[in-house]
Amino acid sequence: MRRGIAATALVAALALAATACGGDTKDGGNSGAKADGELSGTVTWWDTSNDAEKASFQKLAEAFTAKHPKVTVKYVNVPYGDAQNKVKNAFSSGSEAPDVIRADVGWVADFASLGYLAEVPADTAKKVDAEFLPQAAASGKYEGKTYAVPQVIDTMGLFYNKKMLADAGVQPPKTLEEVKTAAAAIKAKTGKAGLYLRGDDSYWFLPLIYGEGGDLVDAKTKTVTVDNAAGVKAFKAARDLVTSGAAITNATDGWTNMQTAFKTGEAAMMINGPWAVADSYAGDQFKDKANLGIAAVPAGSVKAGAPQGGHDLAVYAGSKNIAAANAFVDYMTSQEVQVQSAKELSLLPTRTAAYEQPDVKSSEMVQFFKPAVDKAVERAWIPENGSLFEPLKVEYTKAITGASSPEDAAKAAGAEFRKILKGWK
């Protein structure tokens, strides 16, 4: 039976959650909003959640009016791939800019450095430091100030089709070498691919470079490290998975191709995160949810490593309705709403206390990913963080498809990084 609640129960739950926002601290909601009834106007929220998540987030957002009936929430879903540039353009022009954005954790420092974000109210900032996971709280800060409140946190894991692996007589692989062995057995037994490795998004490169003991940059020493020995090994590892036959990939429309291959059983494994759980359950292979397995990202030659990701909510500095916007952020990051998101979508809360709630404890996916998040690698929270991913994507795609050698891909990525990070070694 699909995890979730009936429509009538959902409406009641959302209304209950909405009463948690704005100054009521006994239930984990942030303070800082005006008293009931004083807020009015429209709050426009640009949400970057995917197709499997957006309906749930829209219902949660619109339920805010149960607490503040004079406030209208205008929900806009912005495709994640277009969002960073679209948000920047809206903020820089001030034309039809949203009041609240759902920002990838890698965007916050960039937007804050440009003056686009309002600083989080002092009482809310104190609650973020005291009540949220510390690694999540760190993503919303820039130069010692808090500009965003963490909504969800995530990392990556190895998704696998339990039946396909069992039929091939293999266990979930713990290393990339074991991935190749398992893939060969799966191919021999089923004729299907072992792993789908996304080739058009550099986020999927991070577990590979971490697995070789490397990183993209060293922010403390202001050094670019993507093109060092570990970086070259990571590009080689990506290419080797494809040339060995262990993985299939596609340089275009990678998300759709990856999800389709996994959901239909054309590939037995993929590397992905909690944001993919709801969509994966919609596939024919996972009508029985118990068939979906999650394991740690396979280790490279040095270790296993996966990036810390997630999304934060931030208020536009030029908003004409900042009080209502801050109250909306309080509500959307409240414990009740985070628990509901964990129950409905298997997303990980950022509030520490949420993990003690029954609906979170009962989520198998959340219970797997929480320890993984605790071990995840924090990225450098620098303004240029998001800008590094485009040139890295170009070189990752070239390396994984054979259009460029691993050495050349690493060298080119490093050169582009240094153009962006002026003055870095």
Side-chain angles (χ1 to χ4, degrees):
M1 180 176 179
R2 186 178 176 103
R3 185 172 17 229
I5 54 180
T8 54
L10 175 61
V11 171
L14 297 180
L16 176 62
T19 64
C21 73
D24 188 356
T25 58
K26 67 180 181 293
D27 58 10
N30 295 326
S31 62
K34 294 182 179 180
D36 293 357
E38 289 186 88
L39 296 176
S40 62
T42 298
V43 172
T44 299
W45 178 38
W46 283 10
D47 172 36
T48 58
S49 63
N50 62 37
D51 287 344
E53 299 168 340
K54 63 185 182 183
S56 181
F57 277 129
Q58 183 172 1
K59 288 178 182 178
L60 284 165
E62 291 173 350
F64 176 70
T65 57
K67 178 67 174 177
H68 298 289
K70 293 182 180 180
V71 176
T72 299
V73 174
K74 182 180 178 181
Y75 174 87
V76 180
N77 185 263
V78 181
Y80 176 83
D82 303 329
Q84 186 175 9
N85 288 334
K86 187 171 183 178
V87 169
K88 274 190 172 183
N89 290 338
F91 284 172
S92 63
S93 68
S95 175
E96 299 183 359
D99 299 288
V100 179
I101 58 165
R102 183 181 194 248
D104 182 281
V105 292
W107 304 345
V108 174
D110 182 22
F111 293 163
S113 72
L114 295 170
Y116 293 155
L117 304 183
E119 191 175 345
V120 169
D123 54 351
T124 299
K126 289 179 181 178
K127 286 181 176 294
V128 170
D129 289 339
E131 300 175 9
F132 287 66
L133 299 173
Q135 65 271 44
S139 70
K141 296 181 183 296
Y142 175 66
E143 293 188 341
K145 297 180 180 180
T146 303
Y147 288 94
V149 182
Q151 183 199 24
V152 296
I153 191 170
D154 58 54
T155 188
M156 304 180 88
L158 181 73
F159 285 51
Y160 65 94
N161 186 315
K162 291 181 180 179
K163 185 178 185 303
M164 290 182 73
L165 266 64
D167 288 347
V170 296
Q171 296 295 317
K174 296 180 180 179
T175 67
L176 295 183
E177 285 302 313
E178 289 183 8
V179 168
K180 292 191 285 187
T181 301
I186 292 166
K187 182 74 171 179
K189 179 68 177 180
T190 67
K192 306 297 184 182
L195 175 74
Y196 194 105
L197 182 61
R198 188 172 181 185
D200 72 329
D201 192 313
S202 50
Y203 198 67
W204 271 253
F205 177 72
L206 297 183
L208 297 170
I209 195 168
Y210 297 155
E212 300 304 327
D215 204 338
L216 303 183
V217 298
D218 183 339
K220 291 182 179 179
T221 62
K222 293 190 174 182
T223 303
V224 172
T225 56
V226 69
D227 54 356
N228 65 13
V232 173
K233 287 182 180 179
F235 283 110
K236 286 182 177 178
R239 181 61 182 156
D240 180 57
L241 286 169
V242 176
T243 57
S244 68
I248 57 174
T249 191
N250 193 304
T252 60
D253 201 16
W255 171 262
T256 299
N257 287 319
M258 175 177 61
Q259 287 298 115
T260 299
F262 186 64
K263 291 190 294 184
T264 60
E266 290 300 313
M269 299 176 285
M270 67 175 179
I271 294 172
N272 224 321
W275 59 87
V277 172
D279 186 60
S280 297
Y281 280 149
D284 291 341
Q285 291 290 309
F286 306 105
K287 289 180 179 178
D288 177 5
K289 292 184 178 181
N291 191 41
L292 177 61
I294 309 283
V297 167
S301 64
V302 177
K303 62 179 182 179
Q308 178 201 322
H311 290 85
D312 299 342
L313 298 187
V315 173
Y316 173 43
S319 170
K320 296 179 180 179
N321 205 358
I322 283 185
N326 280 325
F328 177 76
V329 170
D330 290 345
Y331 158 67
M332 288 298 294
T333 57
S334 68
Q335 179 170 296
E336 286 72 16
V337 170
Q338 291 195 10
V339 169
Q340 191 70 21
S341 297
K343 181 177 181 179
E344 290 289 306
L345 302 170
S346 299
L347 298 178
L348 274 70
T350 53
R351 284 183 172 272
T352 306
Y355 288 91
E356 299 303 316
Q357 300 305 305
D359 284 336
V360 178
K361 285 186 172 182
S362 65
S363 170
E364 179 183 356
M365 295 302 165
V366 171
Q367 291 305 308
F368 167 79
F369 274 110
K370 176 54 168 61
V373 159
D374 291 339
K375 298 177 183 178
V377 180
E378 280 193 59
R379 287 175 280 163
W381 304 126
I382 56 177
E384 301 85 356
N385 194 318
S387 300
L388 301 178
F389 279 81
E390 182 58 32
L392 181 60
K393 179 183 78 170
V394 171
E395 300 308 325
Y396 173 56
T397 300
K398 286 180 179 179
I400 202 171
T401 58
S404 183
S405 71
E407 292 82 2
D408 287 345
K411 182 178 180 180
E416 290 301 315
F417 278 23
R418 290 181 181 89
K419 290 179 183 178
I420 295 169
L421 300 165
K422 296 179 177 60
W424 285 43
K425 296 180 286 183

